[in-house]
């Protein structure tokens, strides 16, 4: 695996993923509408990883178009839902021959405790419809807190549910997730994203509840007792 591009890589989720992947020895390209902002963010993350745990990170920043072009295969989309379709429309010609990893959750405007699903059923399905079947779309990493990703002193505290219509593409994404020290599960076809994406506002609701004595919880797939 040569490198991974993260479009929207200067946001909290993107920064956390970039650092986790860099710690695993993956080269990361941050993509932003502002290439200078992306490079400044890359420099910041490199310095942080060097200071925190001595990691010599390979992170660079480019425009989102150049980052997509430079990706060997996997392009992670980590933008606000409001910009999801416009971003994909811009990048679609550059994604031919690559795999899109869509981590966007359609949180309702002004209410992170609810989703507002697109007519296709989920963001993952909407991305696949927009790009066409020739470009595999894999839904993943929807239920991981950005705070968790950026807390490099602790391992990722949850399992990752992965869905999509292309099995080979899903396996490549699952292998990438494994490098970050957590477990990925094949959760089925793209339509499974309807359930997976909808879990995020439930987790947000629990994590901000005064009745729950912790925050930034995630989902675990638990084996039976004794296994």
């Amino acid at each position: 695996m040569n490198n991974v591009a993260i479009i929207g890589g200067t946001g909290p989720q993107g920064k956390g993923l970039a650092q986790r992947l860099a710690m695993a020895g993956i080269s990361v390209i941050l993509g932003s509408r502002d290439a200078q902002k992306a490079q400044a963010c890359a420099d910041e993350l490199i310095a942080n990883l060097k200071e925190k745990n001595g990691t010599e990170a390979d992170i660079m920043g480019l425009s989102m178009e150049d980052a997509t072009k430079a990706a060997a295969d996997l392009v992670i989309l980590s933008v606000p839902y409001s910009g999801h379709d416009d971003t994909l429309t811009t990048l679609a010609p550059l994604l031919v021959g690559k795999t899109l990893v869509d981590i966007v959750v359609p949180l309702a405007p002004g209410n992170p405790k609810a989703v507002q699903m697109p007519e296709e059923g989920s963001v993952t399905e909407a991305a696949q419809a927009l790009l066409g079947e020739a470009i595999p779309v894999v839904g993943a990493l929807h239920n991981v807190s950005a705070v968790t990703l950026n807390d490099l002193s602790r391992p990722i505290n949850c399992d990752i549910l992965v869905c999509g219509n292309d099995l080979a593409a899903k396996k490549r994404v699952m292998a990438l997730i494994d490098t970050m020290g957590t477990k990925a599960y094949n959760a089925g076809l793209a339509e499974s994203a309807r359930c997976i994406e909808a879990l995020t506002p439930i987790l947000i609701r629990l994590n901000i509840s005064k009745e729950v004595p912790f925050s930034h919880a995630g989902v675990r797939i638990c084996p039976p007792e004794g296994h």
Side-chain angles (χ1 to χ4, degrees), residues 81 103-109 111 114-118 121-124 142 193 197-198 200-201:
Y81 179 46
I103 72 171
V104 177
V105 175
L107 297 178
N111 183 11
V115 286
Q116 185 172 297
M117 291 295 192
S122 67
V123 173
T124 302
H142 297 106
E197 293 171 19
T200 296

Side-chain angles (χ1 to χ4, degrees), residues 1-220:
M1 191 175 296
N2 296 322
N3 60 39
V4 172
I6 304 176
I7 308 303
T10 60
Q13 203 90 1
K15 286 181 179 180
L17 281 174
Q19 291 180 98
R20 294 280 181 174
L21 291 170
M23 287 169 60
I26 305 293
S27 297
V28 179
I29 309 163
L30 302 181
S32 172
R33 294 186 184 279
D34 183 336
Q36 290 185 323
K37 178 181 178 181
Q39 186 56 54
C41 182
D43 292 340
E44 171 195 323
L45 298 182
I46 289 170
N48 185 58
L49 285 167
K50 179 69 173 178
E51 177 186 348
K52 292 289 177 60
N53 56 23
T55 297
E56 296 287 348
D58 182 7
I59 306 174
M60 66 183 299
L62 297 171
S63 70
M64 64 179 190
E65 293 89 351
D66 287 343
T68 302
K69 291 177 187 176
D73 174 30
L74 301 181
V75 178
I76 299 173
L77 186 63
S78 176
V79 298
Y81 179 46
S82 58
H84 179 271
D85 288 2
D86 286 346
T87 301
L88 276 190
T89 299
T90 299
L91 298 180
L94 309 176
L95 285 166
V96 175
K98 304 179 192 292
T99 298
L100 179 76
V101 186
D102 203 322
I103 72 171
V104 177
V105 175
L107 297 178
N111 183 11
K113 296 183 289 185
V115 286
Q116 185 172 297
M117 291 295 192
E119 64 180 26
E120 292 85 356
S122 67
V123 173
T124 302
E125 291 170 283
Q128 190 67 82
L130 191 154
L131 294 175
E133 291 300 322
I135 299 173
V137 174
V138 177
L141 296 158
H142 297 106
N143 311 137
V144 190
S145 160
V147 171
T148 294
L149 288 173
N150 282 283
D151 184 357
L152 305 181
S153 67
R154 299 177 180 179
I156 295 173
N157 66 336
C158 58
D159 297 324
I160 309 299
L161 300 175
V162 178
C163 62
N165 298 333
D166 187 307
L167 180 58
K170 280 191 288 189
K171 287 186 174 180
R172 293 194 297 274
V173 175
M174 291 168 71
L176 178 72
I177 291 167
D178 285 345
T179 68
M180 293 190 288
T182 193
K183 178 66 177 175
Y185 288 92
N186 181 356
L189 299 177
E191 64 186 22
S192 294
R194 302 175 191 185
C195 301
I196 299 168
E197 293 171 19
L199 280 173
T200 296
I202 295 173
L203 289 170
I204 291 172
R205 180 181 292 274
L206 291 173
N207 286 330
I208 64 177
S209 170
K210 294 179 180 179
E211 297 179 5
V212 178
F214 49 78
S215 60
H216 312 302
V219 174
R220 282 275 192 210

